[in-house]
Amino acid sequence: MKGFAWKRFFSFIGAALAVSSADPAWAAYPDRPIKLIVPWTAAGTVDMVGRALAEKLSEKLGQPVIVENKPGATGQIGSSAVARAEPDGYNLLLMSATVHTVSPNLKPNFPFDPIDGFAVISEVVSFPYVMVVSSESPYKSVADVVKAAKEKPNAISYGSFGPGSGPHLISELFALSTGTRLLHVPYKGAAPAIADVMGGQVTFFIDSLPSPLGQIKGGRLRALAVTTLERSPTVPDVPTMSETLPGFEAIAWLGVAAPPNTPRDIVMKLHAALTEISKDSAYGDKLRAVGLQPVASKSPEAFREWLIAQKQYWGDVVRKANIPMVE
Protein backbone atom coordinates (compact mmCIF):
# COMPACT_ATOMS: atom_id res chain seq x y z
CA MET A 1 0.00 0.00 0.00
CA LYS A 2 1.04 3.55 -0.52
CA GLY A 3 1.67 5.74 2.52
CA PHE A 4 -1.68 7.47 2.39
CA ALA A 5 -3.53 4.16 2.09
CA TRP A 6 -1.63 2.69 5.06
CA LYS A 7 -2.46 5.79 7.09
CA ARG A 8 -6.17 5.43 6.33
CA PHE A 9 -6.03 1.69 7.12
CA PHE A 10 -4.49 2.21 10.56
CA SER A 11 -6.87 5.09 11.31
CA PHE A 12 -9.79 2.77 10.56
CA ILE A 13 -8.37 -0.01 12.77
CA GLY A 14 -7.82 2.47 15.63
CA ALA A 15 -11.36 3.75 15.43
CA ALA A 16 -12.74 0.21 15.37
CA LEU A 17 -10.72 -0.75 18.42
CA ALA A 18 -11.90 2.36 20.26
CA VAL A 19 -15.53 1.53 19.58
CA SER A 20 -15.11 -2.14 20.54
CA SER A 21 -13.40 -1.24 23.81
CA ALA A 22 -16.14 1.18 24.87
CA ASP A 23 -18.73 -0.07 27.33
CA PRO A 24 -21.67 -1.08 25.12
CA ALA A 25 -24.16 -0.08 27.83
CA TRP A 26 -22.72 3.42 27.86
CA ALA A 27 -22.54 3.69 24.08
CA ALA A 28 -26.20 2.74 23.59
CA TYR A 29 -27.85 3.90 26.82
CA PRO A 30 -30.66 4.66 26.79
CA ASP A 31 -32.13 3.08 23.66
CA ARG A 32 -35.59 2.26 25.06
CA PRO A 33 -38.03 3.62 27.69
CA ILE A 34 -36.90 3.86 31.31
CA LYS A 35 -39.13 3.00 34.26
CA LEU A 36 -39.06 5.17 37.40
CA ILE A 37 -40.54 3.25 40.33
CA VAL A 38 -42.34 5.45 42.88
CA PRO A 39 -42.96 3.24 45.95
CA TRP A 40 -45.93 5.31 47.11
CA THR A 41 -49.49 5.89 45.92
CA ALA A 42 -50.39 8.18 43.03
CA ALA A 43 -51.40 11.82 43.57
CA GLY A 44 -49.25 12.44 46.66
CA THR A 45 -46.21 14.68 47.01
CA VAL A 46 -43.72 11.92 46.19
CA ASP A 47 -45.70 10.95 43.09
CA MET A 48 -45.82 14.60 41.96
CA VAL A 49 -42.05 14.86 42.23
CA GLY A 50 -41.62 11.57 40.38
CA ARG A 51 -43.74 12.73 37.45
CA ALA A 52 -42.09 16.14 37.22
CA LEU A 53 -38.67 14.49 37.35
CA ALA A 54 -39.61 11.84 34.78
CA GLU A 55 -40.68 14.52 32.33
CA LYS A 56 -37.35 16.33 32.63
CA LEU A 57 -35.32 13.11 32.54
CA SER A 58 -37.07 12.16 29.33
CA GLU A 59 -36.03 15.48 27.78
CA LYS A 60 -32.41 15.03 28.88
CA LEU A 61 -32.04 11.36 27.91
CA GLY A 62 -34.09 11.32 24.71
CA GLN A 63 -36.26 8.38 25.80
CA PRO A 64 -39.62 8.16 27.61
CA VAL A 65 -39.34 7.87 31.39
CA ILE A 66 -42.46 6.15 32.68
CA VAL A 67 -43.58 6.47 36.32
CA GLU A 68 -44.87 3.26 37.88
CA ASN A 69 -46.40 3.41 41.35
CA LYS A 70 -45.61 0.39 43.52
CA PRO A 71 -46.93 1.28 47.00
CA GLY A 72 -47.02 -0.98 50.04
CA ALA A 73 -45.17 -1.81 53.25
CA THR A 74 -44.25 1.85 53.83
CA GLY A 75 -42.37 2.09 50.54
CA GLN A 76 -40.53 -1.22 50.86
CA ILE A 77 -42.33 -3.13 48.07
CA GLY A 78 -41.35 -0.75 45.29
CA SER A 79 -37.84 -0.36 46.64
CA SER A 80 -37.38 -4.14 46.84
CA ALA A 81 -38.47 -4.48 43.21
CA VAL A 82 -35.70 -2.12 42.07
CA ALA A 83 -33.12 -3.79 44.32
CA ARG A 84 -33.82 -7.07 42.47
CA ALA A 85 -34.09 -5.60 38.95
CA GLU A 86 -31.55 -5.98 36.15
CA PRO A 87 -28.67 -3.51 36.60
CA ASP A 88 -29.06 -2.03 33.13
CA GLY A 89 -30.29 1.48 33.98
CA TYR A 90 -33.86 0.88 32.81
CA ASN A 91 -35.38 0.47 36.29
CA LEU A 92 -34.82 3.45 38.57
CA LEU A 93 -36.13 4.17 42.07
CA LEU A 94 -37.36 7.37 43.67
CA MET A 95 -35.84 6.96 47.14
CA SER A 96 -37.21 8.54 50.32
CA ALA A 97 -35.91 9.26 53.80
CA THR A 98 -38.56 7.00 55.34
CA VAL A 99 -37.38 3.87 53.53
CA HIS A 100 -33.65 4.43 53.37
CA THR A 101 -32.59 6.29 56.52
CA VAL A 102 -35.42 6.08 59.08
CA SER A 103 -37.24 2.72 58.92
CA PRO A 104 -34.07 0.57 58.84
CA ASN A 105 -33.36 1.72 62.41
CA LEU A 106 -36.73 0.42 63.57
CA LYS A 107 -36.91 -3.01 61.94
CA PRO A 108 -34.56 -5.74 63.14
CA ASN A 109 -34.88 -7.69 59.87
CA PHE A 110 -35.09 -5.07 57.16
CA PRO A 111 -35.71 -6.77 53.77
CA PHE A 112 -32.76 -5.15 51.96
CA ASP A 113 -29.68 -3.02 52.55
CA PRO A 114 -31.20 0.48 52.33
CA ILE A 115 -28.03 2.08 51.00
CA ASP A 116 -25.55 -0.41 49.59
CA GLY A 117 -28.35 -2.59 48.22
CA PHE A 118 -28.62 0.05 45.46
CA ALA A 119 -26.45 2.04 43.12
CA VAL A 120 -27.34 5.41 44.63
CA ILE A 121 -27.11 8.30 42.18
CA SER A 122 -28.21 11.64 43.63
CA GLU A 123 -30.48 13.44 46.03
CA VAL A 124 -33.07 15.33 43.96
CA VAL A 125 -35.35 17.13 46.42
CA SER A 126 -34.94 18.46 49.95
CA PHE A 127 -37.65 19.93 52.15
CA PRO A 128 -38.36 20.67 55.81
CA TYR A 129 -40.86 19.32 58.22
CA VAL A 130 -43.02 21.97 59.87
CA MET A 131 -44.59 22.18 63.33
CA VAL A 132 -48.21 23.32 63.10
CA VAL A 133 -50.91 24.15 65.63
CA SER A 134 -54.49 25.29 65.19
CA SER A 135 -54.91 28.90 64.18
CA GLU A 136 -56.98 29.19 67.37
CA SER A 137 -54.22 27.72 69.56
CA PRO A 138 -52.86 29.84 72.41
CA TYR A 139 -49.33 28.81 71.36
CA LYS A 140 -47.72 31.40 69.12
CA SER A 141 -44.17 30.04 69.12
CA VAL A 142 -42.03 26.98 69.77
CA ALA A 143 -41.02 28.55 73.10
CA ASP A 144 -44.70 28.66 74.10
CA VAL A 145 -45.08 24.93 73.43
CA VAL A 146 -41.90 24.12 75.36
CA LYS A 147 -43.03 26.21 78.33
CA ALA A 148 -46.42 24.49 78.44
CA ALA A 149 -44.85 21.04 78.09
CA LYS A 150 -42.50 21.70 81.00
CA GLU A 151 -45.37 22.93 83.17
CA LYS A 152 -47.67 20.00 82.26
CA PRO A 153 -45.75 16.78 81.51
CA ASN A 154 -47.65 14.40 79.18
CA ALA A 155 -50.43 16.97 78.68
CA ILE A 156 -49.15 18.45 75.44
CA SER A 157 -50.12 16.05 72.65
CA TYR A 158 -48.80 15.51 69.15
CA GLY A 159 -50.04 13.54 66.15
CA SER A 160 -48.13 11.10 63.94
CA PHE A 161 -48.64 8.42 61.30
CA GLY A 162 -47.93 5.84 63.97
CA PRO A 163 -44.90 4.43 65.81
CA GLY A 164 -41.69 4.82 63.83
CA SER A 165 -43.07 7.34 61.35
CA GLY A 166 -41.22 10.57 60.54
CA PRO A 167 -43.60 12.75 62.58
CA HIS A 168 -43.21 10.37 65.54
CA LEU A 169 -39.41 10.42 65.48
CA ILE A 170 -39.15 14.17 64.98
CA SER A 171 -41.61 14.86 67.78
CA GLU A 172 -39.57 12.58 70.06
CA LEU A 173 -36.43 14.43 68.97
CA PHE A 174 -38.22 17.62 69.98
CA ALA A 175 -39.01 16.10 73.38
CA LEU A 176 -35.39 15.00 73.81
CA SER A 177 -34.09 18.42 72.81
CA THR A 178 -36.35 20.23 75.27
CA GLY A 179 -36.33 17.78 78.18
CA THR A 180 -40.10 17.40 78.04
CA ARG A 181 -42.58 14.51 78.08
CA LEU A 182 -45.28 14.58 75.42
CA LEU A 183 -48.43 12.55 74.68
CA HIS A 184 -48.22 10.61 71.39
CA VAL A 185 -51.50 10.29 69.45
CA PRO A 186 -51.02 8.02 66.39
CA TYR A 187 -53.19 8.27 63.26
CA LYS A 188 -53.44 6.31 60.01
CA GLY A 189 -52.35 9.28 57.90
CA ALA A 190 -51.78 13.02 57.68
CA ALA A 191 -55.36 14.04 56.91
CA PRO A 192 -56.97 12.87 60.19
CA ALA A 193 -54.04 14.20 62.21
CA ILE A 194 -54.32 17.62 60.59
CA ALA A 195 -58.09 17.62 61.10
CA ASP A 196 -57.69 17.00 64.82
CA VAL A 197 -55.02 19.68 65.15
CA MET A 198 -57.33 22.18 63.43
CA GLY A 199 -60.14 21.07 65.75
CA GLY A 200 -58.00 21.46 68.87
CA GLN A 201 -58.07 17.78 69.86
CA VAL A 202 -54.28 17.51 69.42
CA THR A 203 -51.81 20.25 70.34
CA PHE A 204 -49.40 20.03 67.43
CA PHE A 205 -48.34 18.00 64.41
CA ILE A 206 -44.93 17.90 62.73
CA ASP A 207 -45.22 16.85 59.09
CA SER A 208 -43.36 17.47 55.84
CA LEU A 209 -44.12 21.00 54.64
CA PRO A 210 -46.10 20.13 51.47
CA SER A 211 -48.72 18.22 53.47
CA PRO A 212 -50.20 21.07 55.60
CA LEU A 213 -49.11 23.92 53.31
CA GLY A 214 -52.63 24.56 51.98
CA GLN A 215 -54.07 24.89 55.49
CA ILE A 216 -51.17 27.13 56.54
CA LYS A 217 -51.74 29.47 53.61
CA GLY A 218 -55.49 29.27 54.15
CA GLY A 219 -55.14 30.41 57.76
CA ARG A 220 -56.51 27.25 59.38
CA LEU A 221 -53.13 26.20 60.76
CA ARG A 222 -50.39 28.29 62.34
CA ALA A 223 -46.84 27.26 61.40
CA LEU A 224 -44.50 27.64 64.37
CA ALA A 225 -41.22 26.40 62.87
CA VAL A 226 -39.58 24.51 60.04
CA THR A 227 -36.98 21.88 60.85
CA THR A 228 -34.21 22.75 58.37
CA LEU A 229 -31.34 24.95 59.54
CA GLU A 230 -32.34 27.63 57.04
CA ARG A 231 -35.80 29.10 56.54
CA SER A 232 -37.88 27.75 53.67
CA PRO A 233 -38.30 30.10 50.68
CA THR A 234 -41.87 28.83 50.44
CA VAL A 235 -42.76 30.16 53.94
CA PRO A 236 -39.96 32.66 54.63
CA ASP A 237 -41.71 34.23 57.62
CA VAL A 238 -41.75 30.95 59.53
CA PRO A 239 -38.70 30.62 61.82
CA THR A 240 -36.52 27.54 62.00
CA MET A 241 -36.68 25.23 64.98
CA SER A 242 -32.97 25.88 65.48
CA GLU A 243 -33.67 29.56 66.16
CA THR A 244 -35.18 28.36 69.44
CA LEU A 245 -33.33 25.05 69.83
CA PRO A 246 -29.82 25.50 68.39
CA GLY A 247 -28.74 22.64 66.14
CA PHE A 248 -32.20 21.09 65.80
CA GLU A 249 -32.50 19.64 62.29
CA ALA A 250 -34.71 17.14 60.49
CA ILE A 251 -34.56 16.91 56.70
CA ALA A 252 -37.04 15.27 54.38
CA TRP A 253 -35.58 14.28 51.03
CA LEU A 254 -36.03 12.25 47.86
CA GLY A 255 -33.31 10.75 45.70
CA VAL A 256 -32.73 8.49 42.72
CA ALA A 257 -31.08 5.07 42.71
CA ALA A 258 -30.61 2.12 40.38
CA PRO A 259 -30.16 -1.60 41.08
CA PRO A 260 -26.81 -2.64 42.56
CA ASN A 261 -23.97 -3.22 40.09
CA THR A 262 -25.40 -0.82 37.51
CA PRO A 263 -22.46 0.15 35.24
CA ARG A 264 -20.59 3.22 36.42
CA ASP A 265 -20.99 4.96 33.06
CA ILE A 266 -24.77 4.70 33.25
CA VAL A 267 -24.78 5.96 36.85
CA MET A 268 -22.68 8.96 35.87
CA LYS A 269 -24.84 9.75 32.83
CA LEU A 270 -27.91 9.76 35.07
CA HIS A 271 -26.11 11.84 37.69
CA ALA A 272 -25.19 14.45 35.06
CA ALA A 273 -28.81 14.61 33.86
CA LEU A 274 -30.15 15.00 37.40
CA THR A 275 -27.63 17.75 38.11
CA GLU A 276 -28.79 19.68 35.03
CA ILE A 277 -32.44 19.20 35.98
CA SER A 278 -31.82 20.64 39.47
CA LYS A 279 -30.86 23.91 37.79
CA ASP A 280 -33.94 24.09 35.52
CA SER A 281 -35.86 27.22 36.55
CA ALA A 282 -39.36 26.11 35.49
CA TYR A 283 -38.95 22.75 37.22
CA GLY A 284 -37.57 24.47 40.32
CA ASP A 285 -40.41 26.99 40.48
CA LYS A 286 -42.96 24.18 40.26
CA LEU A 287 -41.39 22.37 43.23
CA ARG A 288 -40.79 25.46 45.37
CA ALA A 289 -44.47 26.41 45.02
CA VAL A 290 -45.39 23.34 47.10
CA GLY A 291 -42.55 23.60 49.61
CA LEU A 292 -39.85 21.54 47.89
CA GLN A 293 -36.28 22.53 47.00
CA PRO A 294 -34.56 20.94 43.96
CA VAL A 295 -31.02 19.77 44.74
CA ALA A 296 -28.32 17.49 43.36
CA SER A 297 -25.55 15.63 45.14
CA LYS A 298 -21.97 16.48 44.20
CA SER A 299 -21.39 12.85 43.22
CA PRO A 300 -22.92 9.40 43.81
CA GLU A 301 -20.20 8.80 46.40
CA ALA A 302 -21.07 12.02 48.24
CA PHE A 303 -24.73 11.02 48.22
CA ARG A 304 -23.88 7.60 49.70
CA GLU A 305 -21.83 9.16 52.51
CA TRP A 306 -24.65 11.58 53.29
CA LEU A 307 -27.15 8.70 53.42
CA ILE A 308 -24.93 6.81 55.87
CA ALA A 309 -24.77 9.91 58.10
CA GLN A 310 -28.55 10.40 57.95
CA LYS A 311 -29.21 6.77 58.84
CA GLN A 312 -26.85 7.07 61.82
CA TYR A 313 -28.53 10.33 62.89
CA TRP A 314 -31.98 8.73 63.10
CA GLY A 315 -30.54 5.60 64.68
CA ASP A 316 -29.22 7.78 67.50
CA VAL A 317 -32.67 9.38 67.94
CA VAL A 318 -34.31 5.93 68.11
CA ARG A 319 -31.87 4.75 70.77
CA LYS A 320 -31.92 7.90 72.89
CA ALA A 321 -35.70 8.11 72.85
CA ASN A 322 -36.05 4.37 73.57
CA ILE A 323 -38.37 3.95 70.58
CA PRO A 324 -39.22 0.24 70.30
CA MET A 325 -38.64 -1.87 67.20
CA VAL A 326 -41.67 -2.40 64.94
CA GLU A 327 -42.64 -5.45 62.91
Side-chain angles (χ1 to χ4, degrees):
M1 289 185 186
K2 294 183 179 180
F4 179 71
W6 277 110
K7 185 175 181 180
R8 290 185 62 187
F9 174 75
F10 284 118
S11 295
F12 171 80
I13 292 297
L17 288 172
V19 170
S20 66
S21 65
D23 185 336
W26 167 253
Y29 180 82
D31 62 2
R32 65 181 190 271
I34 296 168
K35 188 183 297 181
L36 177 64
I37 301 297
V38 174
W40 305 95
T41 55
T45 299
V46 180
D47 181 65
M48 184 277 287
V49 173
R51 293 179 188 280
L53 189 64
E55 180 182 351
K56 289 298 177 181
L57 265 177
S58 180
E59 293 175 7
K60 297 294 181 184
L61 300 176
Q63 288 288 341
V65 178
I66 301 163
V67 171
E68 181 176 323
N69 297 91
K70 278 186 177 292
T74 321
Q76 293 171 38
I77 290 177
S79 299
S80 294
V82 175
R84 298 191 305 267
E86 286 295 318
D88 55 10
Y90 291 97
N91 287 279
L92 304 179
L93 172 68
L94 191 61
M95 306 171 71
S96 70
T98 299
V99 179
H100 296 270
T101 55
V102 176
S103 293
N105 294 296
L106 293 159
K107 291 181 178 288
N109 298 304
F110 206 66
F112 50 80
D113 187 310
I115 299 173
D116 289 336
F118 300 84
V120 300
I121 300 169
S122 179
E123 184 183 8
V124 293
V125 167
S126 177
F127 49 108
Y129 291 86
V130 59
M131 174 186 272
V132 294
V133 297
S134 166
S135 59
E136 304 299 320
S137 170
Y139 307 121
K140 303 294 196 300
S141 68
V142 171
D144 288 345
V145 176
V146 173
K147 183 175 183 293
K150 286 182 179 294
E151 291 174 350
K152 302 175 183 177
N154 293 316
I156 299 298
S157 58
Y158 70 87
S160 84
F161 304 153
S165 64
H168 177 214
L169 265 65
I170 297 166
S171 298
E172 288 301 314
L173 176 61
F174 176 74
L176 280 171
S177 301
T178 57
T180 56
R181 296 198 303 275
L182 306 170
L183 176 63
H184 179 203
V185 183
Y187 292 85
K188 291 184 178 180
I194 289 173
D196 275 6
V197 171
M198 290 191 296
Q201 286 82 24
V202 175
T203 308
F204 71 85
F205 183 42
I206 298 178
D207 196 9
S208 58
L209 178 58
S211 178
L213 184 60
Q215 289 86 354
I216 293 170
K217 290 188 173 181
R220 300 186 68 188
L221 288 174
R222 177 184 301 135
L224 300 187
V226 294
T227 61
T228 41
L229 294 179
E230 296 182 357
R231 293 193 180 197
S232 167
T234 306
V235 285
D237 293 335
V238 177
T240 67
M241 191 75 78
S242 62
E243 290 175 40
T244 302
L245 305 172
F248 190 104
E249 183 180 27
I251 303 169
W253 58 268
L254 300 172
V256 172
N261 301 314
T262 298
R264 171 73 175 176
D265 289 339
I266 290 178
V267 168
M268 292 311 297
K269 185 168 187 176
L270 290 166
H271 180 270
L274 293 171
T275 299
E276 290 181 15
I277 291 168
S278 72
K279 301 172 184 176
D280 185 286
S281 58
Y283 167 81
D285 289 345
K286 182 176 183 178
L287 295 188
R288 282 186 284 271
V290 294
L292 308 169
Q293 182 67 29
V295 295
S297 304
K298 184 178 179 180
S299 67
E301 292 76 18
F303 183 37
R304 177 181 177 274
E305 292 303 315
W306 184 78
L307 290 172
I308 291 170
Q310 282 289 301
K311 183 172 176 287
Q312 179 65 50
Y313 181 85
W314 289 113
D316 289 343
V317 172
V318 167
R319 285 186 289 274
K320 291 175 181 177
N322 293 315
I323 296 173
M325 296 291 105
V326 296
E327 294 299 325

